Structure formats: structure tokens, C-alpha cells
């Protein structure tokens, strides 16, 4: 009886929406030159969504990650069926890119998605998105869908076909309201039939 009471206490003590820490990454938005703002990014999971939090604005080193984050998106990506969730920092000649990487597998498909962000003109900006899904297609031939979006140049390569995207305003690329379906909702990628 005591064990049942203890288990009931533990279950009710942990909130159902509790977050699980997944990954952390840090860098400098100016890349190897280190002439820009340092940042600390954390990825956590709550239910089936990934939260991206970023502490930034420091010129003298990586922020401690305490207090309120400068950026917080509670649903930047899905974590349902994820086999790997990570943050990666890629340093390039024009600065650093923070990547939210999710690899997934379920009974229908497996694949990988990558959302790329940079800090540009005081805005956390989505600069790229990539999704590759391999569908098992029981009873038929497996097939692949791939969408690679370059929001710097407003070009997408989808299933091997390149097309120019219509220009959008800078605010439309704000990462604050970017979610796992944004590339499809905004017409950058086509949905699977």
C-alpha cells in the first residue's frame, strides 16, 4: 500500500507538461572572427514538441543560460517519433548558423529535418530549412520526398526541381513563430499528397 501511495505522490508531483532537456550548443553569431554576440541555445522536449531557448547579447563570452531567455519558441519542431534531436553550430564565412536537427522514424517513413537560424539585425531569423522523408509504401515501391529551402536566396530544390520563391518581408522569417509545419504552410515546400 505504501508503494502505491508513493507512486501516486510521484506521478502527481511531476507536472504532465514537464520538459526534458535534450541538447545545448553555444557560439558566436559572427563565426570564427568572434566579433559578434555570443549565445547559448538549449533544446528541450515537452510532450511531442521541441522548445528552443536562446540566451544572447553577450560580447565577452557565452551567456550562463540563467534567467529569461532572449528567444523562446515552445514549438519549433516536433519530437514525436524522433530518434535523434540535436543542436549544431555551423561556422561559415558570413557567421554562425544554429541548426535544430531532428531525425525520425515511424511505421510510415523515416527521415531528417533541419531548421537553420541566424541572429540578423536584432532578429532570430530562419535562413534555411531541409526535410528528407523516405516513405516505406507497403505493397508498393518506397519513395522519397526532399525539400531544401535557401531563404537567403529564396530558392528551393524540391525532389530535384529548383524553383525561385517569391520574396517575403524580413519579419516573415522571424523564428519566433516558426513551427514544424511553417515551410509547408508558407508554400516553401509542397505537402505530400
Amino acid at each position: 500500500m505504501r508503494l502505491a501511495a508513493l507512486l501516486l505522490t510521484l506521478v502527481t508531483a511531476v507536472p504532465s507538461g514537464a520538459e526534458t532537456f535534450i541538447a545545448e550548443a553555444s557560439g558566436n553569431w559572427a563565426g570564427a572572427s568572434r566579433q559578434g554576440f555570443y549565445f547559448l541555445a538549449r533544446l528541450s522536449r515537452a510532450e511531442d514538441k521541441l522548445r528552443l531557448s536562446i540566451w544572447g547579447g553577450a560580447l565577452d563570452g557565452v551567456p550562463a543560460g540563467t534567467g529569461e531567455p532572449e528567444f523562446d519558441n515552445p514549438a519549433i519542431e516536433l519530437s514525436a517519433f524522433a530518434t535523434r534531436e540535436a543542436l549544431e553550430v555551423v561556422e561559415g564565412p558570413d557567421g554562425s548558423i544554429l541548426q535544430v536537427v531532428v531525425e525520425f522514424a515511424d511505421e510510415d517513413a523515416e527521415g531528417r529535418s533541419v531548421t537553420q537560424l541566424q541572429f540578423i539585425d536584432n532578429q532570430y531569423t530562419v535562413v534555411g530549412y531541409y526535410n528528407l522523408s523516405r516513405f516505406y509504401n507497403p505493397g508498393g515501391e518506397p519513395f522519397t520526398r526532399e525539400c531544401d529551402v535557401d531563404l537567403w536566396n529564396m530558392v528551393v530544390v524540391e525532389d530535384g526541381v529548383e524553383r525561385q520563391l517569391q520574396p517575403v518581408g524580413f519579419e516573415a522569417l522571424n523564428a519566433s513563430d516558426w513551427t514544424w509545419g511553417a515551410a509547408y504552410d508558407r508554400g516553401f515546400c509542397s505537402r505530400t499528397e
Side-chain angles (χ1 to χ4, degrees), residues 19 21 23-25 29 39-44 50-56 65 67-76 87 98 100 117 124:
E19 289 190 15
F21 172 79
E24 185 172 273
W29 290 116
F39 65 91
L40 174 71
R42 287 191 182 135
L43 195 61
S44 57
L50 289 179
R51 164 176 255 133
L52 177 63
S53 303
I54 303 174
W55 290 262
E68 291 296 314
E70 190 175 86
F71 172 86
D72 189 26
N73 182 328
I76 197 154
L87 290 175
L98 176 65
V100 180
L117 291 87
Y124 289 92

Side-chain angles (χ1 to χ4, degrees), residues 5-158:
L6 176 63
L7 288 174
L8 181 60
T9 302
L10 289 174
V11 167
T12 56
V14 177
S16 62
E19 289 190 15
T20 303
F21 172 79
I22 302 295
E24 185 172 273
S26 61
N28 187 294
W29 290 116
S33 75
R34 305 286 186 242
Q35 298 298 309
F37 294 111
Y38 286 89
F39 65 91
L40 174 71
R42 287 191 182 135
L43 195 61
S44 57
R45 180 188 317 118
E47 296 178 7
D48 63 349
K49 296 176 185 69
L50 289 179
R51 164 176 255 133
L52 177 63
S53 303
I54 303 174
W55 290 262
L59 291 171
D60 57 349
V62 176
T66 57
E68 291 296 314
E70 190 175 86
F71 172 86
D72 189 26
N73 182 328
I76 197 154
E77 186 59 79
L78 282 180
S79 67
F81 308 108
T83 57
R84 179 176 177 256
E85 301 153 318
L87 290 175
E88 299 172 353
V89 177
V90 178
E91 288 187 356
D94 297 324
S96 293
I97 295 175
L98 176 65
Q99 298 187 142
V100 180
V101 179
V102 177
E103 294 176 2
F104 57 89
D106 64 14
E107 64 276 359
D108 295 320
E110 62 184 32
R112 172 183 171 92
S113 69
V114 179
T115 301
Q116 298 181 316
L117 291 87
Q118 283 189 305
F119 186 67
I120 304 169
D121 294 337
N122 297 318
Q123 175 179 287
Y124 289 92
T125 305
V126 178
V127 296
Y129 176 78
Y130 175 79
N131 182 278
L132 173 67
S133 297
R134 291 181 195 88
F135 294 90
Y136 305 135
N137 195 19
E141 288 294 316
F143 64 95
T144 300
R145 296 292 314 256
E146 185 176 31
C147 184
D148 191 356
V149 183
D150 174 355
L151 293 169
W152 271 114
N153 298 304
M154 295 306 290
V155 172
V156 63
V157 178
E158 192 167 23

